[in-house]
Amino acid sequence: MRTFDAIIIGAGQAGPPLAARFAAEGRKVALIERHQVGGTCVNTGCTPTKTMVASARAAHVARRAADFGVDIGGGISVDMKRVQARTAEIAGASRSGLESWLSGLDNVALLRGHAGFIGPDRVALDDELLTAPKIFINVGGRAAIPDIEGLSDIPYLTNSDMVGLDRLPEHLLVLGGSYIGLEFAQMFARFGSKVTVVERGAHLIGREDPEVSEAVRGFLEDEGITVMTGAECIRVERRGDGIVMHADCGGETRTATGTDLLVALGRKPNTDDLGLDKAGVATDGRGFVTVGPDLQASQPGIFALGDCNGRGAFTHTAYNDYEIVAANLFDGESRSVDDRVSGYALYTDPPLGRAGMSETEAKKAGHNVAVASRPMTNVSRAKEKGETAGLMKLVADADSGKLLGGAILGPGGDEAIHAVLNLINMGATAKDLQWAVPIHPTVSELLPTLAGGLEPVR
Ligand SMILES: Cc1cc2nc3c(=O)[nH]c(=O)nc-3n(C[C@H](O)[C@H](O)[C@H](O)COP(=O)(O)OP(=O)(O)OC[C@H]3O[C@@H](n4cnc5c(N)ncnc54)[C@H](O)[C@@H]3O)c2cc1C
Ligand SMILES: NC(=O)c1ccc[n+]([C@@H]2O[C@H](COP(=O)([O-])OP(=O)(O)OC[C@H]3O[C@@H](n4cnc5c(N)ncnc54)[C@H](O)[C@@H]3O)[C@@H](O)[C@H]2O)c1
């Protein structure tokens, strides 16, 4: 049995920096990875998708060149093999950079294979046994494949397949109209596929306020994407070379036919084959490890970080989990995941940047809410760029004036939203923002104007 000061299972977004911190403190740590170092984000998530989004945007801008008075002549075509090669190169460089950094760290043993608990302080790695007083679970998740009639009988794609695709689907059916589904839907439409998005909920990206999701729907439809919402009782079947999806609850039947099917219906934590019962680690009904505010599991000494704890589903939340654990273990702090302000982006074009609560969430949380919004058609920078789809919105507490949330769906929305995110983190009020002097012409310059125009809503 090999003994360490800490064992970390999974080399995704929290495991590697935590291993490095343990090593820097002079502790011996085992970092175990069964597949690719860097996990989902580097290999099948953020990095490859945002690289592909960049290729898709290049095609889109080239197609629109004439709108800007630029004549590039001829038609625009996309070489999927080159798109894929660029994607693989950028993700591969990120993975190998991480790998060589980890391999070069003193006190870190980067071990390969599937790890499973055999007790609260021990783990089996294939035939080898490892023990440590502290064990950190950073196993991430995979595409959830719900029990949909007919799905197991047909070939389907997940995010992992999509980022390796070097061919253009003729007609891509996207099951699930949320973050993963919409990013792939728009990029493949721009690559040249026909695309149909099928979503069970009444709105796309159901977590967002309705006007935000309707604006996203609007620009996707303007690009020729077919969007079907409220599609319940879904079943799928193979017909000839194609795939037919039926949404049929006994009333009106709606169908969509395509050549390829992407399943983008959420994520499932990789906790089912981890032997958590042998370690006395509790999970919730969906398999997420139950953690306290310090990310400690039900078994003292075991922590869960990243997507597998159900407290975040982003790279930055996984990394922040590492920061919380490291600060508490090594820096004498008492940081809590409950203090985290939510922030994220949807990387459609234009992107949606989000900070804090939506209007709906703020009302649900019991706030008297004040709101201000402005369409991108009224934002100079958006007009100058010829990108006027979208809107920006601020949400504040009507009584205290405290900023609660924001959404910027428009050019650079993923960057501009940080002004709001940082202010919420500082506990700022709308007045603090109102008197800032922003730079013209930017999308962000309208934030103080919005802050000055907040109106109470019921
Ligand atoms: C298509 C897509 C796009 C995304 N885009 C973004 C984005 O733009 N921005 C963003 O913030 N987030 C994005 N995400 C989410 C982001 O990828 C995840 O939130 C992030 O990767 C979570 O990190 P993690 O460390 O929790 O898990 P992961 O990165 O999944 O890492 C877990 C690691 O654990 C390993 N592992 C699992 N079980 C075991 C075991 N038993 N033994 C050994 N090793 C094991 C896995 O092989 C994996 O390498 C995206 C996700 C997807 C799917
Ligand atoms: N830009 C980013 O940061 C980014 C990008 C992609 C993914 N992610 C992360 O990955 C996670 C998963 O994303 P996702 O989009 O797969 O999942 P999600 O959980 O956000 O959405 C799943 C969607 O599928 C719909 N759905 C569920 N069952 C259905 C059915 N039977 N038929 C039709 N629709 C159905 C749901 O209503 C929902 O809209 C997100 O929570 C996000 O954190 C982040």
Side-chain angles (χ1 to χ4, degrees):
M1 175 124 60
R2 286 170 77 182
T3 303
F4 293 90
D5 295 311
I7 296 171
I8 301 170
I9 307 175
Q13 295 305 306
L18 187 63
R21 183 66 201 268
F22 263 93
E25 298 291 332
R27 316 284 174 86
K28 249 180 79 185
V29 51
L31 176 62
I32 309 173
E33 173 54 55
R34 69 179 177 190
H35 188 40
Q36 290 177 308
V37 167
T40 307
C41 182
V42 168
N43 299 292
T44 59
C46 337
T47 306
T49 54
K50 270 77 253 184
T51 307
M52 292 166 80
V53 163
S55 290
R57 179 168 159 85
H60 178 71
V61 172
R63 278 190 199 104
R64 287 193 62 202
D67 295 352
F68 299 87
V70 178
D71 186 2
I72 53 177
I76 300 299
S77 66
V78 176
D79 180 344
M80 286 306 292
K81 290 202 170 13
R82 280 164 57 198
V83 170
Q84 214 287 317
R86 177 174 184 271
T87 303
E89 189 185 332
I90 290 174
S94 180
R95 178 175 59 248
S96 54
L98 186 59
E99 218 158 356
S100 56
W101 172 62
L102 287 170
S103 309
L105 289 177
D106 286 340
N107 294 330
V108 175
L110 177 60
L111 307 175
R112 301 300 189 142
H114 172 86
F117 282 94
I118 52 167
D121 65 349
R122 60 201 57 193
V123 159
L125 171 62
D126 300 324
D127 293 338
E128 203 178 0
L129 294 186
L130 317 176
T131 183
K134 289 207 162 36
I135 301 184
F136 302 88
I137 306 170
N138 177 222
V139 293
R142 59 187 185 274
I145 308 297
D147 195 13
I148 290 174
E149 191 183 330
L151 193 56
S152 55
D153 302 327
I154 58 168
Y156 58 81
L157 304 160
T158 67
N159 63 292
S160 305
D161 307 305
M162 296 298 287
V163 301
L165 216 58
D166 64 357
R167 64 179 177 87
L168 192 64
E170 192 182 317
H171 188 156
L172 181 65
L173 287 179
V174 178
L175 209 44
S178 191
Y179 306 92
I180 293 181
L182 297 188
E183 290 181 3
F184 281 119
Q186 189 186 44
M187 73 172 90
F188 275 84
R190 290 177 169 193
F191 291 149
S193 296
K194 253 177 88 65
V195 175
T196 302
V197 176
V198 179
E199 163 59 42
R200 185 174 59 185
H203 298 280
L204 297 176
I205 38 171
R207 202 183 296 162
E208 309 303 335
D209 285 333
E211 75 272 32
V212 173
S213 71
E214 284 313 304
V216 169
R217 180 180 188 142
F219 67 70
L220 293 178
E221 288 180 335
D222 287 348
E223 289 192 30
I225 296 170
T226 303
V227 176
M228 193 190 283
T229 45
E232 299 200 50
C233 310
I234 288 171
R235 65 189 168 84
V236 287
E237 63 171 328
R238 180 136 219 173
R239 198 176 287 170
D241 286 341
I243 292 164
V244 186
M245 193 276 326
H246 305 266
D248 172 8
C249 285
E252 174 210 4
T253 300
R254 293 187 288 167
T255 60
T257 306
T259 53
D260 295 82
L261 177 70
L262 165 63
V263 179
L265 299 173
R267 309 284 295 168
K268 187 176 161 56
N270 291 323
T271 53
D272 36 358
D273 54 359
L274 207 50
L276 290 177
D277 49 330
K278 295 185 189 118
V281 171
T283 55
D284 69 10
R286 296 189 300 152
F288 293 103
V289 177
T290 315
V291 291
D294 61 351
L295 302 172
Q296 195 152 195
S298 55
Q299 179 66 253
I302 297 181
F303 296 74
L305 295 80
D307 283 12
C308 69
N309 65 21
R311 297 298 310 260
F314 301 99
T315 284
H316 44 280
T317 51
Y319 189 80
N320 182 234
D321 285 358
Y322 141 69
E323 293 177 312
I324 291 168
V325 166
N328 293 347
L329 286 180
F330 297 118
D331 302 330
E333 298 200 29
S334 54
R335 293 199 175 264
S336 160
V337 70
D338 295 340
D339 297 335
R340 184 154 68 209
V341 175
S342 154
Y344 57 90
L346 164 71
Y347 291 91
T348 47
D349 178 29
L352 167 66
R354 281 277 292 104
M357 291 185 243
S358 66
E359 180 182 341
T360 316
E361 286 166 346
K363 284 178 180 162
K364 258 198 204 136
H367 291 278
N368 290 322
V369 169
V371 168
S373 72
R374 171 178 283 242
M376 281 296 148
T377 45
N378 284 357
V379 176
S380 297
R381 191 64 197 275
K383 288 192 262 185
E384 290 147 10
K385 286 189 155 186
E387 297 177 22
T388 51
L391 65 131
M392 55 202 296
K393 177 171 180 177
L394 271 186
V395 180
D397 183 281
D399 303 318
S400 67
K402 246 184 152 180
L403 290 168
L404 298 176
I408 303 182
L409 176 64
D414 52 332
E415 300 287 351
I417 197 63
H418 283 84
V420 182
L421 186 57
N422 291 338
L423 285 169
I424 297 174
N425 270 293
M426 292 166 67
T429 64
K431 271 226 151 52
D432 298 321
L433 173 56
Q434 195 181 334
W435 292 104
V437 181
I439 298 166
H440 174 78
T442 58
V443 168
S444 308
E445 78 179 311
L446 269 307
L447 287 170
T449 311
L450 285 184
L454 284 159
E455 291 287 348
V457 290
R458 286 157 63 79

